């Protein structure tokens, strides 16, 4: 199920998601969205609505020192908070001493990260990414729409995924978040 699309446009991260809830051959268009804000994070999820609900309503993102490396923060502090949240919420799975969660995307500090089920953190160099069953279609669309406005690119990617994937359905939720200026930068100005 699902297509989540993320795109970096300058200091703004755009993210869009569909509304499909899929169980086998059954599909339900859900009112609860797969893309949302939590503090300074823009999050879009696939895998499980329960995981998304925990990330939205239970996860307390840890504070990051503005001088700290953003990627290290995501890999260490953020993922540790996610692991704790998913365990406490009864979602994390453990099998053969391997812990797994789910797959989701995070826009933070003007950057786009994907978190995989083994909790690895990825950041695509091309500035856009997609996850879920419609991701291949969305990535093809994003590659072919360079030069168009960011929101339009995200919408076209979701529409393309819906056209070709049985697990993607409108309506689509599209949000964006601007990187917050650091105090040190604004004080110097």
């Amino acid at each position: 199920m699902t297509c989540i699309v993320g795109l970096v446009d300058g200091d703004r991260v755009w993210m869009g998601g569909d509304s499909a809830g899929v169980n086998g051959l059954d599909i339900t268009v859900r009112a609860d969205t797969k893309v949302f804000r939590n503090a300074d994070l823009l999050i879009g999820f696939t895998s499980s609505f329960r995981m998304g609900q925990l990330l939205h309503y239970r996860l307390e993102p840890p504070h990051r020192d503005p001088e700290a490396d953003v990627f290290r923060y995501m890999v260490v502090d953020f993922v540790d908070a996610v692991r704790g949240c998913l365990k406490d919420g009864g979602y994390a799975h453990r099998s053969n001493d391997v812990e797994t969660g789910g797959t989701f995307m995070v826009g933070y500090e003007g950057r786009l990260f994907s978190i995989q089920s083994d909790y690895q953190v990825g950041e695509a160099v091309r500035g856009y990414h997609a996850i879920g069953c419609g991701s291949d279609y969305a990535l093809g669309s994003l590659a072919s729409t360079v030069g168009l406005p960011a929101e339009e690119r995200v919408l076209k990617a979701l529409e393309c995924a819906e056209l070709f994937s049985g697990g993607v359905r409108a309506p689509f939720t599209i949000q964006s978040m601007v990187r917050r200026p650091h105090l040190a930068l604004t004080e110097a100005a």
Side-chain angles (χ1 to χ4, degrees):
M1 73 169 192
T2 302
C3 187
I4 304 295
V5 175
L7 173 66
V8 176
D9 183 39
D11 63 352
R12 182 181 294 271
V13 175
W14 289 86
M15 195 173 294
D18 75 312
S19 297
V22 178
N23 182 14
L25 294 177
D26 297 329
I27 190 165
T28 301
V29 176
R30 302 268 306 231
D32 45 336
T33 65
K34 298 176 191 176
V35 174
F36 53 85
R37 294 171 188 252
N38 180 338
D40 293 336
L41 307 170
L42 185 57
I43 299 175
F45 69 91
T46 183
S47 302
S48 163
F49 276 92
R50 176 61 180 156
M51 181 195 70
Q53 292 162 354
L54 291 170
L55 293 173
H56 193 175
Y57 299 110
R58 190 170 191 159
L59 175 67
E60 294 182 22
H63 171 74
R64 182 183 71 83
D65 182 319
E67 301 299 317
D69 179 73
V70 173
F71 192 78
R72 183 185 188 289
Y73 164 82
M74 293 298 294
V75 169
V76 178
D77 303 323
F78 178 75
V79 164
D80 283 351
V82 167
R83 288 180 64 218
C85 171
L86 297 183
K87 280 186 217 175
D88 292 347
Y91 180 75
H93 303 280
R94 192 162 198 71
S95 178
N96 296 325
D97 288 330
V98 175
E99 179 186 330
T100 57
T103 303
F104 60 100
M105 228 186 278
V106 179
Y108 178 66
E109 288 293 325
R111 294 166 67 177
L112 182 65
F113 303 95
S114 63
I115 316 299
Q116 301 301 313
S117 62
D118 65 355
Y119 299 107
Q120 70 162 296
V121 177
E123 184 176 17
V125 297
R126 65 183 163 254
Y128 58 83
H129 194 58
I131 56 175
C133 67
S135 64
D136 289 342
Y137 307 112
L139 287 170
S141 175
L142 288 166
S144 69
T145 57
V146 173
L148 293 179
E151 186 173 10
E152 186 177 345
R153 291 180 71 196
V154 171
L155 178 60
K156 285 182 177 295
L158 291 167
E159 289 172 340
C160 186
E162 181 184 36
L163 182 63
F164 292 105
S165 175
V168 178
R169 288 293 179 275
F172 304 122
T173 300
I174 299 175
Q175 294 191 28
S176 69
M177 181 176 279
V178 176
R179 178 182 181 186
R180 290 188 328 153
H182 293 297
L183 284 175
L185 297 175
T186 55
E187 289 173 0

